[in-house]
Amino acid sequence: MGSINTPGFGGGGGRIYSSVNGLTWTLLETLNDGNRVELAASKTNPNLMYVLAEVGRQANLFKTEDKFATLPRLPEPNDADLNIPNTDFTRQQAFYDLMIETSPLNDAIIYVGGINMHASYNGGLSWNQVSKWSNNANMDDLNIPFVHADIHSLNFHPTDPTKAVIGSDGGVSLALSLPTSITSANSIRDRILGYNVTQFYYGDIAQADFEDGDEIVGGTQDNGSPIFLNATLGTGLSNTFDFLGGDGSYSAIDDDGQYMVLGYTDRFHIYLEYPLTNTSNSYTISDEDDGDFINVAELDSRFDILYSNSETPTGANSITACTLGPQSAQCIELTGASIADGRATAMQAAPFPSASPTLVVGTENSRLYLIQNSNSNFAKTIIDIGSPDFLGSVSDIEFGNSSQEIFVTFHNYGVNNIWYTANGGTTWSQKDGNLPDIPVKAILRNPLQPNEVIIGTQTGVYSTADFDSDNPTWTISMNGMTNVPVYDLDLRVADNTVLATTHGRGMFTGKFTAGTVSTANPEITQQMRVFPTQTASSLFIESDRSFTNVDIAIYNLSGQQVYQNDRSISNSRETIEVSSLASGIYFLKIQGDGMQQTTRFLKE
């Protein structure tokens, strides 16, 4: 077993243990200044094992042939990319991309992955580059396959170790012939068609020009800020394109349909004229390293201002406000004690008519500030509108029907994560209700039914039909989605289309309607009992009140219905047989006769 440092304690990494029973462990090795450790064991020699470890933030290779009595260093691959040092083929990302495997038929054949993949055919004495992530200088002459940067895993074919499946930040690749990959560009192929696992951080849907398809943009983990043009939602795969690749961040489309903003790491944003044509104008709004890796930002379409996290020359927190023109941007830096006090983690521009812009900022240390005249460092005023009961990091801010109505969420455990004010922050009400103790990432109100509110959480979308209650009743609202973190919720006002941006399953859309809200009585709903929530064969349903002809359905995590039946429910126990279902998480949905309830259960 290889270890890794414990966050918050900074210790425990760089260690290798062994056990013959899984109950007691013997420390075999401690690597000086070591952190993450990956192991590759010989399938034929019990004394032989390869070690790939993060040591001093770099990747080091070792090999033992005597059960760790000795552990000599091996030479490392020298990646051809001129941006990757010859002393560290992971480019200081050994904490993240670190893969090692050895052939099950030949101990001398080893594969390692960092930014790219490398192979040794002599037990690690020398190395050949197997893949390249781009045609950067010095790699452009290599006749080897393209594989997306950041290699995480390699699994050999069960009967033919010359073939393998490779996992990277780009998804899945199939190696048709690993031995020939060092000289053949076609020996590894992408296998990602329909593999919808993109990790988005932000998303936005165009408010105009959607009659011929939807325009969507979003920032992703290591897959750029892709743009969907004229996507016909619900009909299958859609093509996207991206300017730069790498890690995308806050990206948005102007409400008037004149331009879009593409975001990348730190404080790097691009202005792109929209609708897009071959002659569309573009320019760099800002390109500075004083932002966060995935930097918080906000586009105020009314005043054409892009706000983003930054720092002063002395390292104090600040917010840069860039007024966007058709050819260039004019940027100023908003500073002050309140802004410097805590890093902004959420921003929202006020959408209501006014002579000057207003920005609401939530911070990592539980503060909420209203910044008036937010396009001027000298004329601005900053008002603390938060609550002393706030605890944690603000994840989202949304306005209601006026500047007095504000919804705020936090993404923490063990705290109240949903807050609401109807008087501009004078008083606040917490709205967690029966929500499980999970982080909340985003919030959105149904404009057609103000008492219906949806939230994006660490485990999918929840909704409530009684938000004005002191204890709202929240229910899972999957509707074709799955149990996945939802980082962003956006509303297209014209037709009430909702864009849900997930970190792991791409993007989904749905619609608010006037009839969406359930009329279920919360007191009645709570009387419906479903048990056990972990079973190998049967579920039982009973209620203190009789319900006639209710619809009972079971859905898997992909949103597919796997069971349906209509029956009556009372205090006589009803049995649902689930023994034929595959093992996994499911959702039992009961609705009808004035009630609706969803219960999650585990089929063993």
Side-chain angles (χ1 to χ4, degrees):
M1 176 180 67
S3 70
I4 191 170
N5 281 346
T6 303
F9 293 89
R15 301 178 187 182
I16 301 168
Y17 296 84
S18 71
S19 174
V20 295
N21 57 17
L23 299 176
T24 58
W25 292 85
T26 301
L27 179 63
L28 300 177
E29 188 73 34
T30 301
L31 300 172
N32 255 352
D33 200 20
N35 192 348
R36 178 180 174 184
V37 177
E38 295 292 330
L39 306 171
S42 166
K43 304 298 187 294
T44 58
N45 181 353
N47 298 319
L48 174 62
M49 186 171 288
Y50 295 99
V51 177
L52 178 59
E54 179 189 6
V55 179
R57 297 193 66 189
Q58 298 188 352
N60 285 353
L61 274 160
F62 305 87
K63 176 182 180 180
T64 181
E65 298 181 86
D66 49 21
K67 291 187 176 181
F68 289 95
T70 59
L71 189 63
R73 283 277 302 271
L74 288 176
E76 296 177 38
N78 183 2
D79 200 294
D81 191 335
L82 297 179
N83 294 317
I84 299 176
N86 59 11
T87 58
D88 179 22
F89 66 97
T90 66
R91 201 177 58 194
Q92 290 199 317
Q93 291 186 182
F95 68 94
Y96 179 66
D97 40 45
L98 199 67
M99 180 278 290
I100 183 168
E101 295 290 344
T102 182
S103 169
L105 299 183
N106 188 339
D107 294 331
I109 300 177
I110 320 162
Y111 297 93
V112 297
I115 306 299
N116 296 306
M117 195 162 67
H118 305 265
S120 174
Y121 301 105
N122 55 13
L125 298 179
S126 62
W127 294 90
N128 298 277
Q129 189 155 339
V130 172
S131 71
K132 58 181 178 179
W133 70 274
S134 76
N135 270 328
N136 281 5
N138 217 41
M139 287 199 299
D140 52 354
D141 292 333
L142 295 180
N143 186 33
I144 59 176
F146 279 95
V147 177
H148 198 287
D150 301 336
I151 309 297
H152 298 290
S153 62
L154 181 146
N155 278 23
F156 293 105
H157 188 282
T159 61
D160 184 357
T162 67
K163 297 181 173 64
V165 175
I166 301 162
S168 71
D169 275 11
V172 177
S173 301
L174 175 64
L176 302 170
S177 175
L178 282 170
T180 63
S181 59
I182 60 176
T183 57
S184 173
N186 295 319
S187 59
I188 301 177
R189 307 283 184 86
D190 284 343
R191 286 294 183 269
I192 57 175
L193 185 63
Y195 190 55
N196 186 23
V197 297
T198 304
Q199 295 175 303
F200 281 89
Y201 295 109
Y202 291 95
D204 196 17
I205 187 168
Q207 297 292 322
D209 185 31
F210 54 86
E211 292 79 6
D212 56 350
D214 292 278
E215 319 286 291
I216 298 172
V217 67
T220 73
Q221 190 277 324
D222 212 15
N223 283 266
S225 290
I227 302 168
F228 298 76
L229 292 178
N230 298 326
T232 306
L233 303 182
T235 61
L237 300 176
S238 299
N239 290 324
T240 68
F241 74 94
D242 176 53
F243 266 34
L244 295 178
D247 290 282
S249 63
Y250 178 83
S251 300
I253 302 173
D254 168 45
D255 287 350
D256 296 327
Q258 302 299 309
Y259 61 89
M260 63 173 58
V261 172
L262 303 180
Y264 299 90
T265 54
D266 292 306
R267 189 159 59 85
F268 181 21
H269 293 94
I270 293 173
Y271 174 102
L272 185 59
E273 187 182 6
Y274 178 83
L276 299 181
T277 67
N278 290 333
T279 59
S280 287
N281 176 53
S282 66
Y283 64 82
T284 298
I285 299 169
S286 60
D287 185 6
E288 304 293 338
D289 60 2
D290 57 6
D292 302 312
F293 179 68
I294 301 300
N295 203 33
V296 174
E298 166 72 359
L299 176 63
D300 185 341
S301 286
R302 292 183 60 247
F303 290 91
D304 297 323
I305 300 173
L306 177 69
Y307 302 94
S308 57
N309 266 349
S310 57
E311 290 181 353
T312 67
T314 60
N317 294 322
S318 61
I319 296 173
T320 295
C322 295
T323 301
L324 308 178
Q327 303 296 326
S328 63
Q330 298 296 319
C331 301
I332 63 168
E333 192 170 26
L334 304 177
T335 58
S338 297
I339 294 174
D341 181 47
R343 195 69 160 167
T345 53
M347 301 179 188
Q348 180 64 51
F352 309 107
S354 63
S356 59
T358 296
L359 181 70
V360 180
V361 176
T363 72
E364 63 187 355
N365 57 340
S366 317
R367 306 294 188 191
L368 191 70
Y369 296 110
L370 179 76
I371 305 177
Q372 298 171 326
N373 296 309
S374 52
N375 61 341
S376 169
N377 196 43
F378 302 103
K380 72 179 186 300
T381 57
I382 302 177
I383 305 170
D384 188 341
I385 61 170
S387 166
D389 296 323
F390 287 176
L391 182 61
S393 175
V394 179
S395 55
D396 193 23
I397 306 163
E398 295 291 336
F399 282 96
N401 295 327
S402 72
S403 59
Q404 297 299 295
E405 273 196 303
I406 305 174
F407 303 77
V408 175
T409 62
F410 292 77
H411 48 158
N412 301 271
Y413 292 95
V415 303
N416 292 317
N417 280 321
I418 307 172
W419 294 86
Y420 169 76
T421 180
N423 51 26
T426 301
T427 59
W428 289 89
S429 303
Q430 67 90 4
K431 296 290 184 177
D432 286 55
N434 69 333
L435 188 71
D437 184 16
I438 51 177
V440 178
K441 302 290 187 178
I443 190 166
L444 201 60
R445 172 192 267 179
N446 182 348
L448 303 175
Q449 290 283 357
N451 214 25
E452 181 183 45
V453 173
I454 64 173
I455 52 174
T457 77
Q458 189 69 23
T459 58
V461 173
Y462 283 73
S463 66
T464 182
D466 60 344
F467 190 77
D468 62 350
S469 166
D470 290 339
N471 291 289
T473 301
W474 295 95
T475 58
I476 296 171
S477 296
M478 307 300 267
N479 192 26
M481 199 188 287
T482 187
N483 186 351
V484 62
V486 176
Y487 276 19
D488 202 2
L489 294 169
D490 296 271
L491 177 67
R492 184 166 64 205
V493 177
D495 63 349
N496 296 304
T497 291
V498 178
L499 175 69
T501 300
T502 82
H503 195 68
R505 288 293 184 270
M507 292 175 165
F508 291 80
T509 59
K511 278 193 177 184
F512 281 135
T513 68
T516 299
V517 175
S518 167
T519 57
N521 183 331
E523 295 178 359
I524 294 175
T525 301
Q526 293 306 307
Q527 294 176 14
M528 188 70 67
R529 293 179 292 279
V530 179
F531 59 94
T533 55
Q534 181 170 332
T535 180
S537 57
S538 302
L539 290 173
F540 304 105
I541 306 174
E542 60 182 36
S543 173
D544 293 335
R545 181 195 147 185
S546 295
F547 294 90
T548 59
N549 196 33
V550 296
D551 178 75
I552 301 173
I554 296 177
Y555 299 87
N556 61 22
L557 285 178
S558 298
Q560 297 171 316
Q561 188 180 89
V562 296
Y563 173 91
Q564 192 279 327
N565 198 356
D566 294 330
R567 62 175 72 182
S568 299
I569 297 176
S570 65
N571 57 7
S572 299
R573 184 177 299 178
E574 295 291 325
T575 303
I576 306 294
E577 287 296 332
V578 295
S579 56
S580 62
L581 297 180
S583 300
I585 300 293
Y586 292 88
F587 297 93
L588 175 74
K589 186 174 182 179
I590 310 170
Q591 61 182 348
D593 197 13
M595 63 82 59
Q596 176 176 309
Q597 181 174 334
T598 301
T599 302
R600 170 174 158 167
F601 71 93
L602 171 66
K603 166 59 172 62
E604 296 175 340

